[in-house]
Each structure stands twice: as C-alpha cells, then as structure tokens.
C-alpha cells in the first residue's frame, strides 16, 4: 500500500506536483545508488582556482562530485560566495581567463571541462545545456527587443520556419510568465523580475536535456516564484535534468529531488529532498543551520561569517562557526554516506 505524504511534505509544496510516491521513490533510489554509468551529467573532483597577482590563488570550488540523472532536479544551496555560480560557469566554459579548472564533468561522452570553445559554442551551450543566468540583464542584448531575441533563439535552436517563429517566441514567453505586452521592449526598459523571466524564456527554448538555473527566482514575488519553478519542474518531468542553484529553500523544497549543500567551495552534504526538508532533516551542522535560519523554523542565524576563499583553513572550514567542533576538526573531513563532517548529527526523530 502506498504511503501518503506527511503534512510537513505538503507544506513544502510536494502536493503541488502530484505523483508524490513516485518522487519519493526516485529520491530514495538516488541516495543509495551510484549512477555514474547512466547519469545525464557526472561530475568528479571539479576544482576551480583563480590566479591572483603575487602568485596567490583562490580556491572557489574544491573537489565537487555529483551525478545528475534524466528526470531529476538537484538543488545546490549555500550562502553567497560559496562557489555555486562558479561551478555552473565552469560546466559551460564561461569562466574568466585567470581561472584554472581540473576534474571531469561528463555529458554524452563529452567532458565539458576539457571541451574546446568551438565544441561548447556549437554543440553544448543552448543545445544540450541551457542556462538561466544569475545576472539576466547582463546576458540580454541591449539593442534588441525581447521578442527579437526570442525569435532568433527559436531559429537557431529549433529551425522553426520564419512564419511560425513569432508564435513560438510568444509561447516561450508564456512558459516563463513573461507578459506579451512587454515583448517589444528593450532590456533597459525591464524591471529585474521581467529580465529574469525573459532569461528563463530564452533558456527553455530548445528544451535542452540539461538546464542550469542560477537563481532563477530573483526579483519575483511568491506567486511568480512558484509558477517559475513549477515550469522548471515540468521541464524535468519530461525526462530532462535540472541543476537548480538557489538561496530560496522553499523553491528547492517545492521541486527538488535531491539537495547538495555547498560551503566554502566544497559540497558538504548531499541528501534526498524529502529527508532534507522533512522531520529527519540534514546531518551536517551547516545544513541544519541553513534550515534553522528560516523564518518558519527557529529563525536563528548561523553565527560568524564564512571564511575567505583565499585563506581556507587546513581542516573543516565550518569549524569556527560550528557548535560541535572539536580538535578532530583541524583535519579536513572526507565525504562519507553523503556527509563531509567529523560529527554528523543523527536524523531527528
């Protein structure tokens, strides 16, 4: 007999998509199985360093590893500056010239980290991997209307005949809740929320098998947030993958299958969403701190500040802020059972 969703799950938005039991089953399978062989995207030991003057460097991302399957949403969460957006940019080859990357990120037998610019531009960006950028206004062409940019993208990615492009562009705008009355405006005439929806519409064209959505709900009110993430979830439910980078834990709870928590450039916990947001909760003290800081939870901020990425400690980077820290934390914890912590907490009753 199927187990009904808990009241807590319903308050987090699980009820909005239906097929709750199928989602929980996918999440349970995700946490117990290594899916490198059948993953849509398989990332191993992804490290990004930025060279600075004087021979110094900043470790923006260190040893990131995860798999993302078709039909799955992985939410990547953490405080600002922890390396989430750098990770996404690395996957698409959009890092500045002083960046050094290592590791692998394999999709369709292509290592995205090793691919040259020609390969990324002609066969990856927009076609296999779509991007909702963190700063949409900077990615929109300032001298062209939203409509013309949508129509151009429709032509380039779908080959739609000229007569049908206008309707296809309008359909893409509707998917992203972009109002038709603003299609003939230029980017500088848009609010931040409208620019965000325009960028989302552009990313959805072509139905790329993998979508990287970097803070796709910035500047939106709650109703539009829910509508936007539900559209992203529909994209996933049609058999595609979504890496959702967000500060909005409510949005992550609404659509994610798994959650990866990043701190100071490292992924410190990966867990199925139903456990992470449910009564059991996460196991890493930092992840618990993120949830406890929410207004509908303890509303208690995490004490202290994240470390400078240019001066990371040898041991656990979270130790100076952690109530469970001991001398053992002077050594860096290795991931075990999805948690990189010397003192992982037991699931709550």
């Amino acid at each position: 007999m199927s187990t009904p969703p808990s009241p807590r799950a319903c308050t987090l938005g699980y009820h909005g998509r239906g097929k709750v039991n199928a989602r929980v089953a996918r999440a349970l399978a995700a946490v117990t199985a290594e899916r490198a062989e059948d993953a849509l995207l398989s990332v191993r030991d992804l490290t990004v360093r930025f060279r600075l003057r004087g021979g110094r460097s900043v470790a923006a991302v260190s040893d990131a590893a995860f798999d993302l399957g078709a039909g799955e949403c992985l939410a990547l969460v953490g405080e600002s500056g922890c390396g989430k957006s750098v990770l996404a940019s690395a996957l698409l080859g959009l890092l500045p010239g002083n960046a050094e990357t290592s590791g692998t990120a394999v999709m369709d037998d292509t290592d995205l980290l090793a691919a040259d610019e020609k390969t990324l531009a002609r066969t990856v960006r927009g076609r296999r991997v779509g991007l909702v950028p963190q700063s949409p206004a900077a990615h929109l062409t300032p001298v062209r209307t939203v409509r013309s940019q949508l129509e151009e993208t429709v032509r380039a990615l779908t080959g739609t005949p000229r007569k049908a492009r206008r309707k296809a562009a309008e359909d893409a705008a509707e998917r992203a809740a972009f109002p038709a009355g603003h299609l003939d405006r230029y980017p500088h005439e848009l609010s931040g929320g409208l620019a965000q929806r325009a960028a989302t519409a552009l990313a959805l064209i072509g139905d790329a098998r993998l979508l990287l959505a970097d803070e796709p709900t910035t500047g939106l009110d709650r109703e539009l947030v829910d509508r936007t993430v539900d559209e992203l979830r529909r994209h996933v439910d049609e058999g595609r993958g979504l890496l959702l980078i967000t500060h909005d834990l409510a949005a992550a709870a609404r659509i994610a299958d798994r959650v990866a928590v990043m701190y100071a450039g490292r992924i410190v916990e990966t867990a199925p969403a139903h456990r992470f947001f449910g009564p059991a909760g996460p196991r890493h003290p930092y992840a618990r701190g993120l949830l406890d800081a929410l207004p509908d939870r303890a509303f208690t901020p995490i004490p202290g500040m994240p470390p400078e990425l240019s001066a990371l400690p040898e041991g656990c980077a979270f130790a100076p802020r952690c109530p469970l820290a001991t001398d053992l934390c002077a050594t860096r914890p290795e991931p075990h059972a999805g948690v990189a912590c010397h003192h992982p907490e037991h699931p709550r009753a």
Side-chain angles (χ1 to χ4, degrees):
M1 181 178 294
S2 298
T3 303
S6 68
R8 178 60 184 164
C10 289
T11 64
L12 289 168
Y14 283 47
H15 63 294
R17 290 182 27 228
K19 301 182 180 179
V20 175
N21 295 326
R23 175 181 181 176
V24 173
R26 288 200 309 270
L28 287 171
V31 78
T32 58
E34 280 290 338
R35 293 162 303 148
E37 293 184 359
D38 60 356
L40 177 61
L41 174 68
S42 184
V43 175
R44 293 292 180 271
D45 301 321
L46 171 55
T47 296
V48 179
R49 292 182 177 274
F50 292 104
R51 301 184 305 275
L52 304 179
R53 292 180 179 178
R56 296 186 304 118
S57 66
V58 172
V61 179
S62 298
D63 303 317
F66 60 87
D67 291 326
L68 179 59
E72 181 183 33
C73 170
L74 174 64
L76 184 61
V77 303
E79 291 168 293
S80 296
C82 69
K84 304 185 301 297
S85 296
V86 171
L87 187 153
S89 296
L91 295 177
L92 285 174
L94 297 176
L95 294 172
N98 66 328
E100 297 176 341
T101 62
S102 61
T104 60
V106 178
M107 180 181 181
D108 297 332
D109 297 324
T110 299
D111 184 352
L112 301 180
L113 302 184
D116 57 30
E117 175 60 23
K118 181 179 179 180
T119 299
L120 291 171
R122 294 189 177 182
T123 69
V124 175
R125 298 186 196 123
R127 291 169 173 79
R128 284 189 278 171
V129 185
L131 173 67
V132 181
Q134 185 181 35
S135 302
H139 284 72
L140 296 172
T141 304
V143 296
R144 300 184 63 184
T145 65
V146 174
R147 184 190 300 277
S148 68
Q149 294 182 61
L150 288 171
E151 290 185 3
E152 179 186 34
T153 304
V154 167
R155 178 193 61 77
L157 297 184
T158 69
T160 301
R162 180 186 296 273
K163 292 183 179 180
R165 288 175 198 161
R166 183 182 182 91
K167 177 63 165 55
E170 292 172 351
D171 289 344
E174 184 177 0
R175 289 178 67 185
F178 187 90
H182 291 71
L183 282 169
D184 294 312
R185 294 190 174 186
Y186 292 89
H188 72 272
E189 298 177 296
L190 305 179
S191 67
L194 284 172
Q196 185 68 63
R197 282 178 273 170
T200 300
L202 287 165
L204 290 172
I205 293 172
D207 291 322
R209 293 179 59 214
L210 173 62
L211 189 62
L212 308 181
D214 192 354
E215 301 291 355
T217 60
T218 300
L220 305 183
D221 60 34
R222 197 72 243 169
E223 181 180 354
L224 283 172
V225 167
D226 291 345
R227 180 171 174 177
T228 297
V229 297
D230 285 349
E231 182 59 42
L232 294 177
R233 183 67 226 188
R234 278 189 286 273
H235 187 82
V236 173
D237 287 340
E238 293 174 355
R240 305 178 186 94
L242 170 63
L243 179 61
L244 174 66
I245 297 172
T246 185
H247 289 100
D248 190 339
L249 293 180
R254 188 176 180 89
I255 69 167
D257 296 298
R258 288 186 300 140
V259 179
V261 181
M262 203 166 194
Y263 185 78
R266 293 182 178 275
I267 294 177
V268 296
E269 181 168 5
T270 305
H274 77 277
R275 176 171 71 76
F276 188 91
F277 292 109
R283 299 186 63 202
H284 196 285
Y286 173 65
R288 293 205 173 200
L290 286 179
L291 289 183
D292 287 341
L294 294 176
D296 64 341
R297 303 251 182 161
F299 206 27
T300 303
I302 301 173
M305 296 292 290
E308 292 289 338
L309 294 179
S310 59
L312 292 175
E314 290 294 325
C316 175
F318 185 61
R321 308 172 71 187
C322 182
L324 304 179
T326 66
D327 291 344
L328 185 60
C329 301
T331 60
R332 181 175 299 162
E334 296 298 326
H336 178 70
V339 185
C341 180
H342 291 300
H343 308 290
E345 300 189 50
H346 295 291
R348 293 165 177 154

